[in-house]
Amino acid sequence: MAKLYNMLPAEETGSAEQRTAADNATVRAVYIFGPDKKIRAMLLYPMSSGRNFEEVLRLLDSVQLTESKGVATPVNWQSGDDVIIPPSVSDKEAKARFPQGFTTLRPYLRTVKID
């Protein structure tokens, strides 16, 4: 996969079995692709830091939710928390999309509970 997406320097040759961890140092990225094969999110980690699997799963949940429901997730969002109705959605459209109601915190910031 790393070679397919050009995550290794062009001069790297051979298979993973032939390379050392130092050769693969650039492969410290996590990519999340959408069904349309476009990158929806990416995380980059230095060699000195382990990847945070809980954050990867949280990000995946967020990307899937926002893609399917047309909402946004706030900082530190966890599955089950309120989400944000994007400002591009009018109040009239928001009332139609979320008949259970939503909370207006500011004219540009509305939140809703998604079950």
Side-chain angles (χ1 to χ4, degrees):
M1 285 298 282
K3 291 193 81 145
L4 179 67
Y5 288 100
N6 296 318
M7 295 165 67
L8 291 173
E11 61 273 7
E12 285 300 326
T13 60
S15 67
E17 292 81 27
Q18 297 166 332
R19 292 189 301 270
T20 68
D23 296 330
N24 292 327
T26 57
V27 187
R28 298 293 295 167
V30 175
Y31 293 94
I32 296 177
F33 291 86
D36 57 1
K37 298 185 172 115
K38 291 183 180 179
I39 295 175
R40 294 288 185 220
M42 66 178 112
L43 299 168
L44 302 173
Y45 291 86
M47 283 294 291
S48 59
S49 299
R51 294 176 188 96
N52 183 335
F53 198 69
E54 289 178 6
E55 174 58 14
V56 172
L57 292 176
R58 186 196 75 82
L59 180 57
L60 179 60
D61 287 344
S62 171
V63 169
Q64 289 176 334
L65 178 68
T66 60
E67 183 77 18
S68 67
K69 301 292 185 182
V71 295
T73 56
V75 66
N76 297 326
W77 173 87
Q78 296 291 320
S79 185
D81 290 352
D82 286 359
V83 296
I84 296 171
I85 301 170
S88 60
V89 175
S90 70
D91 279 343
K92 182 178 178 180
E93 185 181 350
K95 287 175 186 171
R97 285 177 54 188
F98 307 106
Q100 75 275 25
F102 55 87
T103 303
T104 301
L105 301 172
R106 301 269 189 277
Y108 55 86
L109 182 60
R110 297 160 298 167
T111 61
V112 65
K113 176 71 87 183
I114 298 288
D115 295 322

